[in-house]
Amino acid sequence: MQSAALPTAESDARFIQLVRLADDHLILGHRLSEWCGHAPMLEEDLAMPNIALDLLGQARALYSHAGIIENKDRDEDALAYRRLEREYTNLLMCERPNGDFAHTMLRQLFFSVFMKHYWLSGESSSDPVVAALASKAQKESDYHVRHCAQWVIRLGDGTDESAARLAKALQALTPYLHELFESDSVTQTNGDVGFLPEPSTMQTRWRADIDTIFDLAKLCLPSVENLLTQGKSGGRQGLHSESMGFLLAELQFLQRTYPNMQW
Amino acid sequence: MYSQGLNESNLASAETPEFLAEFQARIDADEKIEPNDPMPQAYRQTLIRQIGQHAHSEIVGMLPEANWLTRAPTLRRKTALLAKVQDEGGHGLYLYSAAETLGISREQMTEELLAGKAKYSSIFNYPTLSWADMGAIGWLVDGAAIMNQVPLCRCSYGPYARAMVRICKEESFHQRQGYELMISLCNGTTAQKDMAQDSLNRWWWPSLMMFGPSDSDSLHSDQSRLWKIKRFTNDELRQKFVDATVKQAQHLGLEIPDPQLAWNENKNDGAGGYDFGEIDWDEFWRVVKGHGPLNRERIAARTKAWEEGAWVREAALAYAEKQKSANTDPNNLAQKVS
């Protein structure tokens, strides 16, 4: 195992950050899958599950690698299904109920633009597994950005109703943006050793992309200062919204009701 | 939208006896009929009805399985189920496109579905009550669908036949995936095996009903066979399904819920086959006529998605119109934002 030679603090930081990312992808993929069969048009009944499948695929790779680093015999399902709510460390944005299509697409855009840049930096990770994973995920995120940006632009510059719904979604999601860029000792440790980039270093690139898209969508993002001071936080510490328990009740239902079985 | 390339003048052909005889001669010679070819109105209408029903079945059929997407027990099962339900949506899309080549729009077909004027496979009006139902649906429902659909790959109407080639490949994969799920449950604990048996008990008879009414009561079979839209009768296909599936159930160690099921060596011209009990035709007709366990709920779910999505579709159209009047290709957008 690669992790055996690492100092504990460094190994812990790697595990913690991989699980954070895996949780983001699992929880957002789970939310996105809720649209399957209920989308506004058949093309989106195919597109949203497609994005969800990419996110779940990334989650699987991240959990598996985290499990190897942790070296406590926990596989992807042990990590994805058999933890307590306080142990899930996803961004709060990811667990927000889907709301309408504008909210779903804007949330996905914010997340995917971030991940596109994050994975691009991650391609030069000191860990070859992370580098390979980042390289694949980066291409997928790039596609997600294109898909969501097209919708955000269509909705923003579509009808009065779609513009109003998009503006409402922006208002609802703005407080959650701050958390995307949060730093702490875990991200600093990993940034210092070149394992994964510091999320805060993505902010300028993220902002530039969002501004370009918003310009076409006739939307305006609040200033960075406001994002940082008015932001919600807590996901990385396992402090969730009230909706998270219900999400996990469904996600974990079979694993909790029938423990220790093979499926 | 896919019907734009159609030659409108051919939508209504003068149906002289000579024309009908020529058309039948093409069918008899196993020629494919293509969208711009002249065809009898009844042939066109039969296909619109059948392909439309098939497309609707795929779309409504997404709902019972989507019911378990958020509760799948492992990440592998979750991704497989999501990919499968997505495939069903893809089948719907090819089939609506095939139907559109006959001069009907997807919107029109959707409205007919929501208004209760178009049918879909009754099986999807049954509820998915346990995780094992994800296995049983793949194994039995997709298995029955394959029996029905493989012959359609040779259907006389080209676009339908070609769509069915891909659909059948995917359905066959789904069936194996469903069966593999059942194997996992049957090799598992007593609770898991009970879940599998309960699921088989609930899905067996509705699966047999998927082949439609008995040949003596089938309205559409004879003409469809002459036109090579349909190549086997409902009862022939049902028998094939039973003969194939009973052995699969035995391999799982599950019991088919039919006390009259028995091997009969004289069946199938001496090759042997299973005798099986009588389908509850009252239940069959009740569900077909809209009074099954979830007919109203399924259409309500589709109606909700359609109505709540109206503003999104309107926005997309409005945006495309603006781009058109500004002489901008909306597809350039992708380049601008990537």
Side-chain angles (χ1 to χ4, degrees), chain A residues 37 43 46 250 255 262-263, chain B residues 70 73 77 86 106 302:
Chain A
E43 283 77 359
L46 305 183
E250 285 188 34
Q255 290 273 352
Q262 299 298 311
W263 298 95
Chain B
T70 56
R77 293 289 182 202
Q86 187 201 29
R106 198 206 304 178
R302 288 309 310 159

Side-chain angles (χ1 to χ4, degrees), chain A residues 173-249:
Chain A
L173 284 162
T174 301
Y176 295 87
L177 296 174
H178 157 72
E179 207 180 17
L180 276 169
F181 308 102
E182 259 180 4
S183 282
D184 62 11
S185 61
V186 169
T187 60
Q188 283 158 13
T189 305
N190 288 325
D192 289 347
V193 298
F195 178 70
L196 273 170
E198 268 271 45
S200 57
T201 59
M202 302 297 128
Q203 196 159 314
T204 312
R205 282 169 279 175
W206 181 89
R207 175 92 207 193
D209 276 3
I210 295 293
D211 282 342
T212 307
I213 295 159
F214 273 24
D215 192 40
L216 293 164
K218 302 184 173 170
L219 269 179
C220 185
L221 190 68
S223 73
V224 178
E225 293 69 32
N226 283 346
L227 293 186
L228 293 179
T229 52
Q230 296 172 6
K232 284 182 187 286
S233 182
R236 298 305 191 205
Q237 285 74 48
L239 291 164
H240 294 278
S241 60
E242 288 183 341
S243 60
M244 184 67 171
F246 293 95
L247 186 155
L248 291 181

